[in-house]
Amino acid sequence: MGAAQPWLNAFQKSVVDGDANEIARLFVSDGFWRDYLPFGWTLQTIEGRDAIAEFGVQTGPASGFKNPVFEGQSDETEGFFRFVTSDGPGRGHIRLENG
């Protein structure tokens, strides 16, 4: 299995658990998370590890985010994925830096 699916699995666990340290560990210090509804019900970009961790803790547990499935090849580090939230199915895009 490539880098994307294990990252998505770790992301799911960290946001559902509301684990700020684990959420932060998954992002580079100047990384960003673009949320188009499934977590914050707004269109927003969260920048920086600390802000991302705070956002994930505030919105992740209530989102019901689960079952992320990477749609690309197993060795790819960028592509689309499907997921489910308590409000229904969704689709996202992931781009990992340095795997």
Side-chain angles (χ1 to χ4, degrees), residues 6-50:
W7 188 95
L8 287 166
N9 295 342
F11 178 72
Q12 174 194 337
K13 180 170 179 10
S14 66
V15 297
V16 169
D17 291 348
D19 185 339
N21 291 329
E22 187 61 19
I23 294 168
R25 186 188 71 76
L26 292 170
F27 288 84
V28 295
S29 62
D30 60 347
F32 61 94
W33 172 356
R34 288 194 179 131
D35 183 60
Y36 296 128
L37 301 177
F39 285 83
W41 280 99
T42 61
L43 303 174
Q44 61 185 312
T45 300
I46 302 90
E47 297 183 52
R49 188 179 279 154
D50 292 339

Side-chain angles (χ1 to χ4, degrees), residues 27-84:
F27 288 84
V28 295
S29 62
D30 60 347
F32 61 94
W33 172 356
R34 288 194 179 131
D35 183 60
Y36 296 128
L37 301 177
F39 285 83
W41 280 99
T42 61
L43 303 174
Q44 61 185 312
T45 300
I46 302 90
E47 297 183 52
R49 188 179 279 154
D50 292 339
I52 290 169
E54 182 178 335
F55 179 75
V57 167
Q58 290 175 354
T59 62
S63 72
F65 181 80
K66 63 183 179 180
N67 300 330
V69 177
F70 186 63
E71 295 177 342
Q73 300 297 315
S74 63
D75 61 341
E76 293 176 332
T77 58
E78 179 176 358
F80 289 96
F81 64 96
R82 296 180 317 275
F83 61 90
V84 177

